[in-house]
Amino acid sequence: MSDLGKARTGTIIVIVTVIHALSPLAMQIFVPALPSIRENFSATVADTQWVISGFSAALAFAMLAYGPVSDRFGRRRVVLLGLTVFCIGSAISYWADSLAILVLGRVVQAIGVAAGSTMGRAVAADVIPPEKLARAVSFMTMALVMGPMLAPVIAGYLVSTIGWRSIPLLLGACSALLLLMAIRWMPETHKPQRGKPSAADGNGGGAMGKSPFLTIGFIGHLTILIAVQVGVYGYLSASPYLVIDMLGYEPFHFGYVFVYLTLGYLLGTAFSGWGVLASRGLLACGILSYAIGGGLMLGLVMNGVVNLYSIVGPALMLSFANGISQPQCMAAALSAAPTRRGAASSIVGFSQIMAGGVGFQLMGWLPNGTPAPMTLLICACALTGGIGVLMIYRRPQ
């Protein structure tokens, strides 16, 4: 927004980045606790996966609602409502006496945190010019992954020393603090517009219909984002059981695996924000990296090489590709309709989270005890991402 000074804009971006970071933190901090939760409730692997995949599904569907609502009523009210709901979900999760109640608490958490996740992207698009948005989103992404990078390490120690219930207690405290921050320092950044969307909602070129969300370019970016997310979360779903149950490592050891993966993600976002290549070139590099990582992992497994290094090492390439694809695809989506950024953010967020939930739950249904299903899924996702890149390159200019 033109009337916001640079200092005020910087403050807003910092606040929404921290609030946005609560979503991946709440998602990933439970991963090291899954074996402990399964044992606590005497549940199957597939049932325990709903702690993550149920959260993902609720998060995705809630995002669909928050974006259009914020376009009509403003961003600030949506953020405050969401943080309040997240606090309630954390309390339910902490007091859960069955796996079903825990999943219910996680669903309530997801409905709340979806507000901050959706608004983080929309607010950034409100206050940052379109030509600088992709670069800004890249560096925002670098900042917001620091919490999820450290969270699994902290969670691993908490699970080993206190128990898994310390995790929802920690999340509740964090959300309460963020709610106070938002009340104090987050202003309204969007003035709701009445009437029909303007012609500026279109993005020209390659339109398959009147909606800016039905262009070949928009669909191509979504295809890449979905393909990368399905494979990455499929890996996150299978890896704790492979590392902890099959290879015999402790939960806090697995927490360090997240640090390694997050470093790859940070390298990808830094490369994305560097500005050396155009968006299409960056996405092509990302999918190539993804294919190399998946192919290397599959080759090692097919040759009987199954250890910590063969499972974790090639995943660096997957994280690097994820770090490249997310900022570029998000920026393209938010630029598609200038007066409907909330709706665009909802569509991207829904697609991203649903893809992650599908990838995560899929590993619970596939045969366990071997990395082969995981690696085959990653290779299939690399092929799908390649199709998305071809769509972007073939779109009319």
Side-chain angles (χ1 to χ4, degrees), residues 241-263:
Y241 299 105
L242 296 173
V243 173
I244 297 173
D245 289 349
M246 187 180 77
L247 298 179
Y249 288 87
E250 294 293 328
F252 71 87
H253 287 139
F254 179 74
Y256 288 107
V257 173
F258 269 82
V259 176
Y260 179 78
L261 297 179
T262 305
L263 289 175

Side-chain angles (χ1 to χ4, degrees), residues 11 83 90 123 143-144 250 261 280 298 319 329 343 358 378 392:
T11 301
L83 288 172
S90 298
V123 169
L144 67 85
E250 294 293 328
L261 297 179
R280 295 192 299 185
L298 179 62
S319 299
C329 293
V358 168
I378 291 170
I392 294 172

Side-chain angles (χ1 to χ4, degrees), residues 104-131:
L104 173 63
R106 292 285 287 162
V107 167
V108 176
Q109 278 187 324
I111 292 172
V113 82
S117 185
T118 308
M119 293 304 97
R121 292 182 288 264
V123 169
D126 287 340
V127 300
I128 297 174
E131 65 275 9

Side-chain angles (χ1 to χ4, degrees), residues 72-308:
R72 183 172 179 83
F73 298 106
R75 319 290 192 212
R76 188 174 188 272
R77 295 177 182 176
V78 171
V79 170
L80 298 183
L81 173 64
L83 288 172
T84 302
V85 173
F86 186 87
C87 290
I88 296 172
S90 298
I92 296 174
S93 300
Y94 177 77
W95 293 108
D97 58 0
S98 68
L99 183 60
I101 298 300
L102 175 59
V103 173
L104 173 63
R106 292 285 287 162
V107 167
V108 176
Q109 278 187 324
I111 292 172
V113 82
S117 185
T118 308
M119 293 304 97
R121 292 182 288 264
V123 169
D126 287 340
V127 300
I128 297 174
E131 65 275 9
K132 298 180 180 179
L133 186 58
R135 184 179 180 89
V137 170
S138 295
F139 290 111
M140 280 180 65
T141 304
M142 290 179 64
L144 67 85
V145 299
M146 296 308 295
M149 179 179 71
L150 298 176
V153 178
I154 297 172
Y157 278 104
L158 289 175
V159 171
S160 299
T161 57
I162 302 176
W164 66 265
R165 292 184 190 274
S166 58
I167 295 177
L169 184 63
L170 176 63
L171 290 175
C174 290
S175 60
L177 177 61
L178 289 175
L179 178 59
L180 295 176
M181 290 175 57
I183 292 173
R184 175 64 179 86
W185 289 302
M186 183 179 174
E188 181 56 66
T189 62
H190 172 71
K191 295 180 179 179
Q193 297 188 9
R194 307 301 179 189
K196 298 180 179 180
S198 68
D201 287 346
N203 64 346
M208 297 168 58
K210 294 182 179 181
S211 172
F213 307 133
L214 294 178
T215 63
I216 293 177
F218 188 88
I219 294 173
H221 282 93
L222 274 189
T223 300
I224 295 171
L225 190 66
I226 290 170
V228 171
Q229 288 296 103
V230 169
V232 167
Y233 277 87
Y235 175 86
L236 292 177
S237 173
S239 56
Y241 299 105
L242 296 173
V243 173
I244 297 173
D245 289 349
M246 187 180 77
L247 298 179
Y249 288 87
E250 294 293 328
F252 71 87
H253 287 139
F254 179 74
Y256 288 107
V257 173
F258 269 82
V259 176
Y260 179 78
L261 297 179
T262 305
L263 289 175
Y265 186 85
L266 287 172
L267 288 174
T269 55
F271 185 64
S272 177
W274 195 7
V276 175
L277 297 176
S279 178
R280 295 192 299 185
L282 284 169
L283 290 171
C285 288
I287 294 300
L288 178 61
S289 170
Y290 197 88
I292 292 173
L296 178 60
M297 193 181 298
L298 179 62
L300 291 171
V301 170
M302 292 296 101
N303 284 279
V305 181
V306 180
N307 54 46
L308 182 64

Side-chain angles (χ1 to χ4, degrees), residues 1-13 127 132:
M1 299 176 69
S2 58
D3 59 331
L4 293 172
K6 290 185 177 180
R8 191 181 182 194
T9 299
T11 301
I12 294 170
I13 293 299
V127 300
K132 298 180 180 179

Side-chain angles (χ1 to χ4, degrees), residues 293-364:
L296 178 60
M297 193 181 298
L298 179 62
L300 291 171
V301 170
M302 292 296 101
N303 284 279
V305 181
V306 180
N307 54 46
L308 182 64
Y309 302 103
S310 67
I311 293 173
V312 177
L316 178 64
M317 306 295 288
L318 308 183
S319 299
F320 181 76
N322 197 24
I324 291 176
S325 63
Q326 281 199 42
Q328 297 300 323
C329 293
M330 288 177 184
L334 292 169
S335 300
T339 63
R340 299 173 63 190
R341 294 181 183 123
S345 182
S346 288
I347 293 172
V348 173
F350 174 83
S351 302
Q352 180 183 12
I353 300 302
M354 280 300 291
V358 168
F360 208 97
Q361 190 63 29
L362 190 59
M363 286 294 99

